[in-house]
Amino acid sequence: MKSFILRSAFALAISTLIFSCSSDSDSDPAPQECPPSFTGINCQTQINPSKIKITKFRVTFFNNQDNGASWDTGSGPDIFLQLVNGAGGSNIWISEIYYPDVLSTGTNSFEFVPNSPIIITNVTSSFTIYLGDNDAIDVPSNPNDLMSSILFNIYTTINGLPATLLLTDGKAIPFRVELSLQYEW
């Protein structure tokens, strides 16, 4: 009888150890709650937003010269921005202000804040941002100068949904601009 009790106690101890220990690999992963912009088991799949709002543009650098000459005789350019669909398509926005007689130093920047956010619903389309020199204020008035432009996609399926999108034209003396973005799903 003693032998039976010892064997039973041993069997009970072994079965308790076996059933009380489990490996995480034996079970399905627990469902994870993803932020609204991602889906999937590990939230690895980015969801396309239904809208992107551009709340601010910040010009951080531009070429102070037009092929070796000043943009404006005796002064710096009077900069403004314009956003259009595609490569020269319809106008979406033109800055309500311009900065008169400015030069880019690499340490200064120029902010353009739309009166209301620019709402982009065709989020996978391309856009062009233009940097211009406002010559309408010159005496005599001249057509505005195109200082530089950047063709870009505001959204890609792998961009990670940045709050600030950094753009550059890639030239030796670059035009650089940052877009402040908000997303909706």
Side-chain angles (χ1 to χ4, degrees):
M1 175 86 169
K2 213 186 219 183
S3 170
F4 175 74
I5 294 174
L6 282 174
R7 280 191 298 218
S8 296
F10 182 72
L12 181 62
I14 295 296
S15 65
T16 302
L17 283 174
I18 291 172
F19 291 113
S20 66
C21 296
S22 67
S23 169
D24 289 340
S25 63
D26 292 341
S27 61
D28 291 333
Q32 191 171 4
E33 189 167 326
C34 298
S37 53
F38 290 89
T39 189
I41 293 173
N42 295 319
C43 302
Q44 76 280 5
T45 305
Q46 185 173 296
I47 298 172
N48 291 355
S50 61
K51 295 178 187 173
I52 300 175
K53 293 180 182 179
I54 305 172
T55 59
K56 179 173 62 175
F57 299 83
R58 190 166 78 100
V59 175
T60 60
F61 203 80
F62 59 86
N63 192 338
N64 290 320
Q65 298 199 333
D66 179 15
N67 295 317
S70 296
W71 287 103
D72 289 337
T73 305
S75 67
D78 311 305
I79 66 169
F80 70 95
L81 293 177
Q82 182 176 7
L83 181 67
V84 301
N85 282 307
S90 61
N91 187 49
I92 297 173
W93 172 82
I94 189 164
S95 57
E96 295 85 6
I97 65 163
Y98 67 92
Y99 287 90
D101 301 326
V102 295
L103 293 175
S104 181
T105 64
T107 58
N108 58 351
S109 63
F110 307 92
E111 290 190 355
F112 297 87
V113 179
N115 288 334
S116 58
I118 300 165
I119 299 173
I120 305 295
T121 56
N122 50 340
V123 299
T124 57
S125 296
S126 63
F127 302 90
T128 301
I129 183 106
Y130 292 103
L131 175 66
D133 173 26
N134 184 351
D135 285 334
I137 63 169
D138 293 349
V139 178
S141 147
N142 294 307
N144 293 336
D145 294 320
L146 170 63
M147 296 174 65
S148 194
S149 65
I150 303 169
L151 178 66
F152 68 99
N153 287 1
I154 198 166
Y155 171 80
T156 67
T157 58
I158 58 170
N159 74 347
L161 306 164
T164 303
L165 183 62
L166 309 173
L167 304 173
T168 185
D169 64 2
K171 294 181 180 173
I173 301 175
F175 165 41
R176 290 193 300 252
V177 62
E178 300 172 356
L179 282 63
S180 295
L181 306 175
Q182 296 174 347
Y183 302 88
E184 288 185 20
W185 288 267

